[in-house]
Amino acid sequence: MKLRFSLLSKCTAFTLATTSLLHAAAPLKAAEATGLQAGAAAVDITPDQWPLSLRGSFSPRSSAGVNDPLHARAVALKNGEGKVVIVIVDNLGIGRETLDEVKKRAAEATGWKPEEMLIAATHTHTAPSISSTSAIGAQAAYRDKSQGGIVKAIVDAVAKLQPATIAFGSDNVPDEVKNRRHFLKEGTMPVNPFGEYDKVKTNAGRADILKPAGPTDPEVAVLDVRTRKRRPLAFLANYSLHYVGGMKEGTVSADYFGEYARIMPSRVGSKPEEEFVAMMSNGTSGDINNIDFDQTRPPREPFEQIRLVAAKCADASWRATKSAERQENPRIAIVQREVILQRRKPTPEMLERAKKIVAMTKEEKAKLEGRTENYAYRTLSAAEAPETMPVLLQALCIGDQSIVTMPFEVFVEIGLEIKKKSPFPRTFMIELANGAGGYLPTPAQHELGGYETWLGTNNVQKDASEIMTKHLMEMLAELKAGK
């Protein structure tokens, strides 16, 4: 049965339909399990036509070439009737409408259901759009290549299913995760694009910083999939760190996510002919980045910091499963819910101010805070947007390992809370999965203000994190109970 929720606030919820998205991959009884099967595939989705614009900045950036390739990487897991395929794509973020169509195509090709598919973006800021609406030219060609590549990754992973084993583990890389939101010294807080003063600032100047406004999560959590002969097959890691950057402007790159995938074969002793697939998923990193706020890091050449972060995560991944117990018959199960969130809307005063800013002369706009005009347009856009945003949440288990998803850039506190409260021994979140809805602060962080909380950066009701966390905890409980 399917269950569709409309949530107007954390205290109000009502059912819009009576069926649940507990599908054929619902939790298995132990007797139904027949042994783990796994398959993995990586498909190159690097652009090959130009010019293209890279996503991830306030102004267009024309690409000047490719530093390293982009991929769609997939691992398919099956045991009895329980099935799930996890796909990690080198991209900033992919809209739900695009991913729904991709899943539909993959379902037709494989027989697996769309709700058995988890597709997430890494959040690299140096890749073109996968959802371009252009009908001609390089953008259209890249849309077709990348979407087709994601479908192929799923199809190939399912086609390569073979008897397998899996091990789980984690290790820490604490020195590369920095909370980027800070309280500042008195009198140093600049005005924001809305003409107001926040209590915290994102990526503030080092001289003005007092203390960070939130925690970090140093965990590198891993799933190590091998054949029954113990040969490397796939490796899925999760780390709560935004992209690293520090590369040549306008250059296509998969950032540290791609570098991790490149060097992991050496860590696990994979041979080239084994077609081992490693992938790094983004954890809850909406307020976490790799900037050296305390100025203890020496200068780096382009791409050097990417390589260093990837190497540390690869080392941690190797340590994480070095002595982990292997499982041949883990239960595979996944549950999915669609939740309807309210979109944030500008007040009449905000709307009037935005209209005045847009109508200003070029000289008048030049005197404003740098992003004021951009957020004026975002304010106008928010006023015209639909009243609600339907989002997909997923929770899955692979034995005692659980994974949850949200289609947002999720603040680290949310991920830490779910890890703490989960009924499973191991849990992590993959963000920007099955959609890309903007930043997701907690209500408490909304009170502090700052870039991630601004209207147009954050798009949904301020208690959305609490609503979705509540649902995910219910879904994890369902999985744990095997209902």
Side-chain angles (χ1 to χ4, degrees), residues 261-273:
R262 188 189 70 79
I263 63 177
M264 271 307 294
S266 65
R267 300 301 191 272
V268 299
S270 174
K271 301 175 182 178
E273 64 271 17

Side-chain angles (χ1 to χ4, degrees), residues 43-48 140-150:
V43 176
D44 192 315
I45 58 169
T46 309
D48 50 21
Y142 187 67
R143 176 196 62 220
D144 295 343
K145 178 178 182 177
S146 56
Q147 292 184 21
I150 299 171

Side-chain angles (χ1 to χ4, degrees), residues 207-436:
D208 299 332
I209 288 174
L210 279 180
K211 62 179 181 179
T216 62
D217 181 358
E219 183 182 28
V220 178
V222 298
L223 281 66
D224 179 6
V225 186
R226 299 188 178 237
T227 69
R228 290 290 173 89
K229 294 182 179 181
R230 298 293 181 95
R231 296 306 303 160
L233 197 159
F235 221 100
L236 170 65
N238 183 264
Y239 190 42
S240 292
L241 174 63
H242 243 65
Y243 73 102
V244 171
M247 57 193 70
K248 295 177 182 177
E249 183 62 34
T251 305
V252 169
S253 173
D255 210 278
Y256 81 97
F257 312 98
E259 180 66 9
Y260 174 90
R262 188 189 70 79
I263 63 177
M264 271 307 294
S266 65
R267 300 301 191 272
V268 299
S270 174
K271 301 175 182 178
E273 64 271 17
E274 290 175 324
E275 297 183 334
F276 167 73
V277 177
M279 60 193 86
M280 170 68 78
S281 62
N282 204 325
T284 50
S285 66
D287 52 344
I288 306 298
N289 66 17
N290 193 243
I291 293 177
D292 178 28
F293 291 108
D294 56 10
Q295 209 168 6
T296 59
R297 180 191 300 159
R300 306 292 194 209
E301 68 175 6
F303 299 100
E304 182 182 3
Q305 187 62 20
I306 285 173
R307 294 191 294 269
L308 290 169
V309 171
K312 288 184 179 182
C313 288
D315 290 350
S317 298
W318 175 80
R319 292 192 298 268
T321 61
K322 198 168 185 298
S323 58
E325 181 180 351
R326 246 165 223 286
Q327 300 180 29
E328 295 185 357
N329 197 33
R331 181 170 62 114
I332 307 294
I334 182 170
V335 292
Q336 174 172 296
R337 288 184 184 180
E338 183 176 64
V339 175
I340 310 300
L341 299 173
Q342 292 294 298
R343 286 182 178 268
R344 286 178 63 188
K345 293 291 182 178
T347 64
E349 293 77 16
M350 292 173 68
L351 201 55
E352 185 62 27
R353 180 177 183 272
K355 291 177 181 177
K356 290 180 179 179
I357 290 169
V358 169
M360 285 180 177
T361 65
K362 184 177 180 180
E363 291 72 21
E364 290 173 324
K365 290 175 182 177
K367 298 176 183 179
L368 301 173
E369 191 274 343
R371 291 170 286 190
T372 298
E373 183 181 10
N374 183 288
Y375 275 90
Y377 280 108
R378 292 190 184 203
T379 299
L380 298 176
S381 178
E384 298 297 323
E387 294 293 324
T388 60
M389 180 187 292
V391 300
L392 286 182
L393 304 179
Q394 291 175 328
L396 65 95
C397 71
I398 307 163
D400 288 332
Q401 172 72 60
S402 65
I403 301 172
V404 296
T405 72
M406 286 185 183
F408 295 93
E409 295 180 59
V410 183
F411 270 37
V412 71
E413 292 161 79
I414 300 165
L416 290 170
E417 178 185 0
I418 290 174
K419 286 182 179 183
K420 181 178 180 180
K421 294 181 178 179
S422 173
F424 286 84
R426 299 182 181 277
T427 300
F428 63 79
M429 180 185 292
I430 298 177
E431 69 171 22
L432 289 170
N434 310 307

Side-chain angles (χ1 to χ4, degrees), residues 87-104:
V87 190
I88 306 300
V89 185
D90 292 322
N91 199 256
L92 181 78
I94 312 170
R96 178 177 169 182
E97 184 176 337
T98 295
L99 292 179
D100 283 351
E101 178 60 28
V102 166
K103 290 179 184 180
K104 179 181 177 182

